[in-house]
Amino acid sequence: MVLAADRAMRPAISRFCAQCSTSALAGRRSGPGLGFISSATSTSASNPTSQQRIRSFHGKKSQQPRQAESFAQSPAGASQKPLTTSRAISGFAQTSFDPNSRPTRSDGKPVPKAVLAPDDLFHSFTNSPIPEIRQRAAFIRQHGSCPHPAHRHGQLSESAPGEAASETGNLPPAHVDFECPDCGIPVYCSKEHWADDYEAHLQICDTLRQINEDDHDLRSGRFFPEFEYAGPQMEEALINLTNWDTLLYTRSFQAINDDRSMRQATRLLTYPITIGSILHELSPYSVRPGGRLTMEGLKSFSALRYTLHPPKSGGGLDVKGLRPEAPPVRIFILGARAESSLPRDVWMQLAHLFPLSRFHLVFIGPESMVNRDDEFPLPPRTPSNPFGAVVEDRVWPTLKISTIVDYYHTIHKTGHFHPYDPYFDCFVLFHPGLGHPASSHEWEETIPLLLETKAPVIVTGYTQSDMERDIDWVKKTAAGEFDILMEPGENTFRSQRWDLNDMDPQDISAGNWGVWAFRGKRYEATQKDEEKA
């Protein structure tokens, strides 16, 4: 099930450019272990270095770098202040964060007026002026179940001390039909059940209303300055990874003073920044008390940080200035869904955090190209391209992206990416659903192979319960064969926007809410003392 709110990001982002039809973001499936797909952003045609070149995945296996993201430089003749990729592409004349201003397109015509005003974003899903949201309300009514205790068979209701518990669950399950007037989302089968269980509903009512308004805002037709991203980082300016505010400020993003705009922006940026915040030498995670990093984690991530923060070589552009360079750091993103089709200027932020290093992002998963056939038709599987990979080469001078529609364990057994090096390799699993009953069987062959590589594996979860379920599953299936690198906990750079599961209106989650990391256990070599004569 693709989340409708994320599907709307595609037209929202594509409005930046009247000539770019492929920019966007689509929706992630909201259930644990499911995902959303979003499309890549076209780069500026006026800048040759930013054009994406798609070719087949070929060459020697040992030389295959991993996925990379697309970057676009500011066009020639631009102002001294670096422009972001979105702005460079779009040709918008607007340079400030004024929601009431009317930006113009590159052809001089004004952007169409917004459908909804900023103070008119709350509407019930059923009576929404947006057709997509009305369709979503119908889907929720068709699949959502009423959470009232009367529909829970075989359970006992809570009773006061000294009173006998009364048996509940006498009614058969029923779909939701009544919309709460406070949040505007179908949550109960009838008004009577909503009123009877109102105290329980109050725990999530405010969050549901926020989701309602954010969904309408995404489809309101307004100009989205929060989707303009900062360009390359100045070498003299250090970034601050304490939280979202300090990161955006030190990365020279436009000031985002509205909570709703911040939620929309972090919904996309959480993917590259979550990776960067763990691998960066200024990471907020450390071995200090409460820093969540273990001693084994310090060893693994220090190896990657050594590669990602190399000393300046003193090289130049002429032949005499040539210097040997380290191979790109390969980041394997397994079970890829939405993250494989994020706008490339979003993934570009990862490369900006490490300006002296090169990246190859490798998105692997059977759903990594869903809804993207119009952008990148899958090439045929040939001896030179055995997995039919789509490669976006040199989308940014230090970034490259490859997408493979297959299971990782199938590729691993062929030795396609061997050898693995803890100094240059890292695995990332965004909301994998390792312990979810619907998807755990897909990871049974993959996890043992990941442990063999001895490379760090970063895992995120939608909620605390989702993350803990994944951890319990790994402990059960690989007991004694792995080390925890980072203790599980809330992600400093999680999405600040909440998402709604259309299959269950009571299930709300946030992208990359929690994060933890593990690695295959490494055994130190020991020698017995020689016997004394």
Side-chain angles (χ1 to χ4, degrees), residues 296-372:
E296 291 297 326
L298 180 63
K299 296 177 183 177
S300 288
F301 292 129
S302 293
L304 283 168
R305 292 169 185 174
Y306 176 82
T307 304
L308 292 172
H309 299 279
K312 293 186 177 180
S313 62
L317 300 177
D318 55 359
V319 176
K320 294 183 179 179
L322 293 178
R323 299 290 187 275
E325 294 184 358
V329 172
R330 301 186 301 176
I331 299 180
F332 295 95
I333 301 177
L334 309 186
R337 291 155 308 204
E339 53 271 21
S340 66
S341 50
L342 282 173
R344 288 339 190 200
D345 55 347
V346 175
W347 279 112
M348 153 175 101
Q349 297 303 310
L350 178 60
H352 286 339
L353 294 178
F354 306 91
L356 299 180
S357 301
R358 294 184 295 159
F359 286 95
H360 183 196
L361 303 182
V362 185
F363 296 104
I364 302 176
E367 298 178 277
S368 59
M369 288 293 292
V370 173
N371 297 331
R372 298 184 63 201

Side-chain angles (χ1 to χ4, degrees), residues 12 49 63 153 169 174 261 267 275 371 400 424 447 452 493:
T49 62
Q63 298 176 349
H153 294 279
S261 297
R267 183 65 176 86
I275 299 175
N371 297 331
K400 175 182 177 180
F424 295 95
I447 295 300
E452 291 179 4
F493 293 95

Side-chain angles (χ1 to χ4, degrees), residues 377-443:
L378 289 179
R381 300 198 175 200
T382 62
S384 60
N385 186 14
F387 298 104
V390 175
V391 177
E392 300 164 65
D393 195 8
R394 307 294 294 179
V395 294
W396 181 253
T398 60
L399 192 59
K400 175 182 177 180
I401 300 178
S402 300
T403 306
I404 302 178
V405 184
D406 209 329
Y407 286 103
Y408 171 77
H409 55 259
T410 303
I411 304 171
H412 181 97
K413 293 175 181 178
T414 65
H416 192 70
F417 290 108
H418 281 283
Y420 295 94
D421 191 334
Y423 280 80
F424 295 95
D425 296 325
C426 178
F427 295 91
V428 180
L429 282 61
F430 289 116
H431 317 111
L434 299 177
H436 194 273
S439 56
S440 60
H441 65 281
E442 298 179 349
W443 296 100

Side-chain angles (χ1 to χ4, degrees), residues 46-66:
S46 61
N47 190 345
T49 62
S50 66
Q51 295 178 354
Q52 299 183 7
R53 301 193 298 273
I54 310 302
R55 61 174 173 79
S56 298
F57 194 84
H58 61 279
K60 296 182 179 180
K61 296 178 183 178
S62 61
Q63 298 176 349
Q64 293 305 325
R66 304 165 195 179

Side-chain angles (χ1 to χ4, degrees), residues 124-128 133-146 174-180 184-190 500-505:
S124 70
F125 270 29
T126 302
N127 301 316
S128 172
I133 295 184
R134 295 198 299 269
Q135 295 175 4
R136 187 179 184 188
F139 183 91
I140 294 175
R141 280 191 169 89
Q142 185 178 1
H143 296 87
S145 299
C146 178
H175 292 299
V176 297
D177 185 64
F178 177 76
E179 281 186 337
C180 172
I185 296 177
V187 287
Y188 286 88
C189 65
S190 64
L500 174 68
N501 183 358
D502 291 354
M503 304 290 290
D504 181 7

Side-chain angles (χ1 to χ4, degrees), residues 414-476:
T414 65
H416 192 70
F417 290 108
H418 281 283
Y420 295 94
D421 191 334
Y423 280 80
F424 295 95
D425 296 325
C426 178
F427 295 91
V428 180
L429 282 61
F430 289 116
H431 317 111
L434 299 177
H436 194 273
S439 56
S440 60
H441 65 281
E442 298 179 349
W443 296 100
E444 291 179 351
E445 292 187 60
T446 299
I447 295 300
L449 300 178
L450 295 182
L451 299 179
E452 291 179 4
T453 66
K454 308 302 181 184
V457 182
I458 301 172
V459 188
T460 67
Y462 285 113
T463 61
Q464 183 173 356
S465 60
D466 179 39
M467 180 175 58
E468 292 176 351
R469 181 175 55 194
D470 290 348
I471 297 173
D472 293 339
W473 184 86
V474 174
K475 290 180 178 179
K476 180 180 178 181

